[in-house]
Amino acid sequence: MSLSSACRRTVAVAAGVTALTLGLALPALAHVTIDPGSAEQGGFTKVAFRVPNEKDDASTSKVEVAFPVDHPLSFVSVKPLPGWEVKVTEGKLPKPVATEYGEITEAVTKITWSGGKIEPGQFQEFEVSMGALPKDTDHLVFPATQTYTGGEVVKWDDEPKADGSEPERPAPVLKLTPAPAEGDGHGHGHDPAAANPAAGPSSSATAAAPSVRSLAATGDTGHTASSDGTARLLGGAGLLVGLIGTVVGVLGLRRGGRAS
């Protein structure tokens, strides 16, 4: 084998290794995701938008998440995050949307977190409680925009592909699954108060509490009634014995007086 042939083979092998390394590294690139990635249709849920920092020489300084306007959410609340300022933007919808809570003409369209930093090699989670989730779609898309301290802006807004493959800049997607039918052995439905504290106590918790109290009260009352009855019986018997003793004593005194 000539020297030139050996050089060409070495270059080809090196190029192949480089291509293979890059090919394996590309799917590993981190992007903005939503966790958990699924929730029940018609319910409330709490999610975290997970944002990793992909840069070695810059920090993430701002994160924006757009909310769907074709399937608007009636209730949205944000968990405070130390070191970050949050701005919830509401806007008029392109057209009114009918929901079980009435017709919606305005809704949350964007949430922006700024003022903090996600350093290289770190990630941050931004938590949001929201609902009621629509029942007429199987997913919601939340396009995100990530801004770095160096001025670079990365948009994670690619819609899911029909073939299931991942796009170059995938947007966070929340998959929606049908709620289990009542009586199928999979629970009693979703509790809005668990994800949305403003919704107040759940009816299931309210209904269960009296049952527990009733059982406890019934047990205690039965025991107390039995003890009181026994005490009264013994007290009455003692009183009767004392009365008989008194009568016997009086009669004895009278007999003694007559004898003398």
Side-chain angles (χ1 to χ4, degrees):
M1 179 183 296
S2 64
L3 181 60
S4 60
S5 298
C7 290
R8 285 196 298 270
R9 173 171 291 185
T10 301
V11 172
V13 171
V17 171
T18 301
L20 179 60
T21 302
L22 291 175
L24 292 176
L26 285 178
L29 290 177
H31 50 268
V32 179
T33 56
I34 189 170
D35 182 57
S38 64
E40 288 184 4
Q41 294 174 337
F44 285 74
T45 188
K46 185 187 77 172
V47 300
F49 292 97
R50 183 173 296 169
V51 183
N53 184 39
E54 295 182 325
K55 305 296 179 182
D56 296 327
D57 56 353
S59 301
T60 297
S61 58
K62 185 169 72 171
V63 175
E64 297 174 287
V65 176
F67 276 59
V69 294
D70 54 343
H71 293 93
L73 300 171
S74 306
F75 306 99
V76 175
S77 59
V78 182
K79 183 176 181 178
L81 185 62
W84 292 82
E85 296 179 2
V86 59
K87 179 182 179 182
V88 180
T89 302
E90 295 186 3
K92 193 173 182 63
L93 301 175
K95 61 179 181 179
V97 177
T99 72
E100 60 182 305
Y101 298 98
E103 189 177 76
I104 298 178
T105 58
E106 294 184 356
V108 172
T109 57
K110 183 174 65 175
I111 298 179
T112 304
W113 291 269
S114 61
K117 283 187 178 181
I118 307 175
E119 303 288 351
Q122 299 180 355
F123 73 92
Q124 185 60 267
E125 291 184 335
F126 303 90
E127 294 182 308
V128 178
S129 175
M130 56 190 182
L133 301 175
K135 300 178 182 180
D136 57 349
T137 183
D138 61 359
H139 72 280
L140 292 176
V141 181
F142 298 85
T145 303
Q146 185 174 8
T147 302
Y148 289 92
T149 52
E152 183 178 359
V153 177
V154 179
K155 292 185 177 294
W156 304 96
D157 56 0
D158 289 344
E159 297 272 349
K161 290 187 176 181
D163 60 3
S165 61
E166 186 173 85
E168 182 181 359
R169 299 287 182 183
V173 176
L174 179 65
K175 296 181 180 179
L176 301 179
T177 58
E182 293 185 5
D184 63 357
H186 294 289
H188 302 285
H190 185 75
D191 182 4
N196 183 18
S202 65
S203 58
S204 58
T206 305
S211 299
V212 175
R213 288 195 297 267
S214 297
L215 289 174
T218 302
D220 291 345
T221 302
H223 178 74
T224 303
S226 177
S227 300
D228 290 347
T230 303
R232 290 175 181 176
L233 179 61
L234 292 176
L239 185 61
L240 179 62
V241 171
L243 181 60
I244 294 174
T246 301
V247 172
V248 171
V250 171
L251 293 177
L253 290 173
R254 290 182 177 178
R255 289 176 181 176
R258 292 175 182 174
S260 60

